[in-house]
Amino acid sequence: MADVNGLGVVTTHQVELFTPERPLTMAGGANLAFVTVAYETYGELNAAKDNAVIVCHALTGDAHAAGWHDGDKHPGWWNTLIGPGKAIDTNRWFVISPNLLGGCQGTTGPSSVNPATGHVYGLDFPLLQVRDFVTVHRALLEHLGISRLHAAVGGSLGGMQVLQWALDFPDQLDQAVIIAASAGLTAQNIAFSAVGREAIMLDENFLGGRFAEQGRNPDIGLAVARMMAHITYLSEDAFTEKFGRAPQGEASDPGFGVDFAVESYLRHQGETFVSRFDALTYLYLSRVMDYFDPFGGDAAPPPLSLWGPKFLVISFDSDWRFATEHSLRIVEQLAARGAGVSFRQIHSPWGHDSFLLDVPEYLATIRAFVEEPAKVSAARALRPDLRRIAAQVPRGSRVLDLGCGEGELLRHLMTRQGCVVTGVERDGAAMLEAIKAGVPVLGLDLDTQLDEFADGSFDFVILSRTLQAVMQPAEVLRQMSRIGNHLIVSMPNFAYWPHRLRLLSGDMPRSSDLPYRWYDTPNLHYATLASLEALFDSLGLVTQKRFALSPSGHIIGAGANWRASSAIYLLASRRLAGA
Amino acid sequence: MADVNGLGVVTTHQVELFTPERPLTMAGGANLAFVTVAYETYGELNAAKDNAVIVCHALTGDAHAAGWHDGDKHPGWWNTLIGPGKAIDTNRWFVISPNLLGGCQGTTGPSSVNPATGHVYGLDFPLLQVRDFVTVHRALLEHLGISRLHAAVGGSLGGMQVLQWALDFPDQLDQAVIIAASAGLTAQNIAFSAVGREAIMLDENFLGGRFAEQGRNPDIGLAVARMMAHITYLSEDAFTEKFGRAPQGEASDPGFGVDFAVESYLRHQGETFVSRFDALTYLYLSRVMDYFDPFGGDAAPPPLSLWGPKFLVISFDSDWRFATEHSLRIVEQLAARGAGVSFRQIHSPWGHDSFLLDVPEYLATIRAFVEEPAKVSAARALRPDLRRIAAQVPRGSRVLDLGCGEGELLRHLMTRQGCVVTGVERDGAAMLEAIKAGVPVLGLDLDTQLDEFADGSFDFVILSRTLQAVMQPAEVLRQMSRIGNHLIVSMPNFAYWPHRLRLLSGDMPRSSDLPYRWYDTPNLHYATLASLEALFDSLGLVTQKRFALSPSGHIIGAGANWRASSAIYLLASRRLAGA
């Protein structure tokens, strides 16, 4: 195989992090006297020791995330992401990849021999929590002499670990990247895992977990569990694309064997899995996921400090193992704790496994986030209408900008006016620019997803030149007045007199503010200033200021409904305005 | 339990339909010398024997579709649908419900004893095809003295059987109702079944299918298969609604047992299933579904006669076992064969199992279809604009009406002008009226689903007062000119002079043709006649006739772009128009 990522041959290290003298105290209360951890590293730790990035693997991963192993030459599972010049660039970052506690690839787990007894732990191994992974990996950092991480990055179960780390030790991370993860499995998620565990534990060779001592292995149960889980890792379209209804090999008598290519693939998945993975680890790590619920129950974590990590949450639109709703819940909960969060749903046909694959938009998003924010030239001037909007926002305000584009306004409010900002933007290229500029930006739909924001969670909600492009303008305004104390709305004026002249000529209006043809416009609703103001009134919104603007951005006094090409409104709900 | 459907206690009959003298010749070529079929009937066969309806069960169903059994009093699996006054009204219809060939509830199957050998068939039972079910059930009808069915109705595997029956014997059915079915499983569908079969066949008690002779049973494998399959029968939301993350029973030590309510439910599903179902039947019937592919391969069936059955195809929006795409493929293939098809996606949160549940819109749709079309009063007059459209359509044309409403125009074209018609309508209440009127109507979205129609498959495609409400008017017109040879388009005129006066007054236009306020209108795009005609021209559409109409429907001559409130266009593509 080609050395596709340029890291070449890498080595897995092992280190004993906990000993009888310094045992691991687990979140559930048990102690483990012996804990060895397998890990790999890529790139070089710099002298300041501030370029470390930890990557956290998923249910069946291991320490070998990148590069190649000598001997069997098998490639790391995250070579798409990690390497020289990759999204996590090992020319710049020192990447650490450990195998999880409970694992079966060099780190202590339930199939390890307990040195105290000389026997395999089996089901006597204590039940794990995601917190235990964090404890062990913090000990690994200590061993490596690293006190603070530039970033923690993880997919699926790995993303859960990153989330737990950020919640418990927010000052230890600059950035937390949580991909295709969940902060609370659904009943369906648990159901799939439960059936897999049933298959393993009902296997005649499971023997109550003591199979290793008898030289046996619950291969059938483990293979069935893996085959079933594997169905959930791919999207239905991915299965169709890969296999369709193709028969397996030569035509033969139909029966109950491997007739279809997809059956051959699944059987292969099951067979190879039992040769590399341990049934007890499967039970333990899948159960950790079932119980993970950091935002549930009574023991809600304390608010994150504003100096805690910046978050990037990523989902994939075809992922049905942990669909986008799981990521949105994480975003909501983090935002409610005051964290700066960017979120993007990536289009990918491959389902949950997308986080392991070469999906360019996904990798570009991580790259944009993990890199330091670009230094924005101090001289860069804001557009006149945005300058006018910024002037309405007091220093230190919490600001939500709906349709924030590349985040120019928010970057300005953040750096010049000390505001705590969040943008909403659906255009991918614009989002990447906003993320590069260090602006937290959420890829949400204005028509359907404003419910994500809590009541009164912002001082100002801004909607600039966007109202005419949404499906339900009244509903968007209603949501804005629910979310924010003040609203700033700007909109082109459909009654601007050149529009009228054109309509009088029998054709549909077009101008520099309304440049589209009637049948391909993204602008779905037109309003004159008068009809817009009537809508504000019907929603209980009081106009506190109005700036009617000429096309060059100058204020227009009298005759605005006729002469302004656009207008900016500062609004407050009648209740708050005291009207 | 209450006798909820009024049928009371019913009895399962058994009849020997094939014997060594008259064996069953199967689609795969094998002969079965002994075939007994279990069936139930509800209601009375009338003297003309023309009120018979057959219902076809799904993978794990049986003959007991409705009413109650004495003794154990368990209710029929389709009591929601069948009974006095129900959607399939036993006061009117004589309903027949047989257990499938290969089943394990009274009909001959692989766990039956082969009378010729005295041994259970086991895996020596011939592989089944959906056609074999049809052959056996046609023999049952013959036994009952019934030559023709008013309707065949089936869900999931039962729907596949109805489809096969309609394709092979179109003259035997007036109506075919195909619910939550598929005409070709996807790789993911097959994958789920394959893993279930692996679990069964790898069970140590399967013994190559000879378990019954040894007094053993592959309970573990069958339970695992059932648990897994059951996950696919419910939507994720249904699991969340039923169980969420609730723990099972009293709080106890977490571990690998039944900790969550959903785990208890699944284990119960597995345990009760093994007591009522046979592992061999599970293998045989699931494999039938994998192979079912009536529209694939080289042996495409001949076109349906125009006198063949009318079809109703139903899907559920939360069904991910056989998602709506499966039903749409059936609709496309039937339409391409000239069949009259109605299709509706029903909103239901419950997933695939919805076809067994009390979902009012679903039951109302079946009722509307199965009832005879209402006699429409001959005197009922068409709206003036529709009368004008109808006058443009020659007798016997194939007509597609996009946004057909209650189907008035199509009903007129069908009954008065001998046209072969199809409507498209999203509004549920309007669809039901169209179905009751005997008009085939498809519940498709004009903006995203016109790809369902083949090139040149209609003589006329009509879009009446709907263009302004679609998202992409140009794309809809492009699709129309692809689908049809002639287009008829009617649209309100945005340049109508009262609109202009209102805009000159500084407010947004409203009139009887444009009655909405700007921010809550379903009308997303406005056009003047001039700008509409410019769009036609850019799409290569030639106006063959134009009727500019006043609000009362009278033709306007000069000054139409100013004076008409709406217009009707008869269009042809430049190629077809010879221009």
Side-chain angles (χ1 to χ4, degrees), chain A residues 255-270:
Chain A
F256 300 105
V258 174
D259 294 9
F260 292 91
V262 65
E263 294 181 302
S264 169
Y265 170 79
L266 283 178
R267 187 173 283 189
H268 176 77
Q269 289 293 329

Side-chain angles (χ1 to χ4, degrees), chain A residues 285-305:
Chain A
L285 296 192
S286 70
R287 200 48 145 174
V288 168
M289 298 172 82
D290 292 352
Y291 272 105
F292 185 59
D293 191 17
F295 301 126
D298 300 327
L304 291 174
S305 102

Side-chain angles (χ1 to χ4, degrees), chain A residues 186 198 204 236 259 267 291, chain B residues 186 198 204 236 259 291:
Chain A
T186 65
E198 288 278 285
E204 58 170 337
E236 176 154 27
D259 294 9
R267 187 173 283 189
Y291 272 105
Chain B
T186 65
E198 289 279 283
E204 59 171 335
E236 177 156 25
D259 295 8
Y291 271 104

Side-chain angles (χ1 to χ4, degrees), chain A residues 250-320:
Chain A
E250 299 292 305
S252 61
D253 278 351
F256 300 105
V258 174
D259 294 9
F260 292 91
V262 65
E263 294 181 302
S264 169
Y265 170 79
L266 283 178
R267 187 173 283 189
H268 176 77
Q269 289 293 329
E271 286 170 357
T272 56
F273 189 64
V274 300
S275 72
R276 76 172 176 88
F277 212 79
D278 175 68
L280 287 165
T281 289
Y282 198 89
L283 296 184
Y284 275 82
L285 296 192
S286 70
R287 200 48 145 174
V288 168
M289 298 172 82
D290 292 352
Y291 272 105
F292 185 59
D293 191 17
F295 301 126
D298 300 327
L304 291 174
S305 102
L306 284 177
W307 305 109
K310 291 165 60 176
F311 290 85
L312 173 63
V313 178
I314 289 181
S315 69
F316 297 95
D317 58 358
S318 59
D319 183 355
W320 65 278

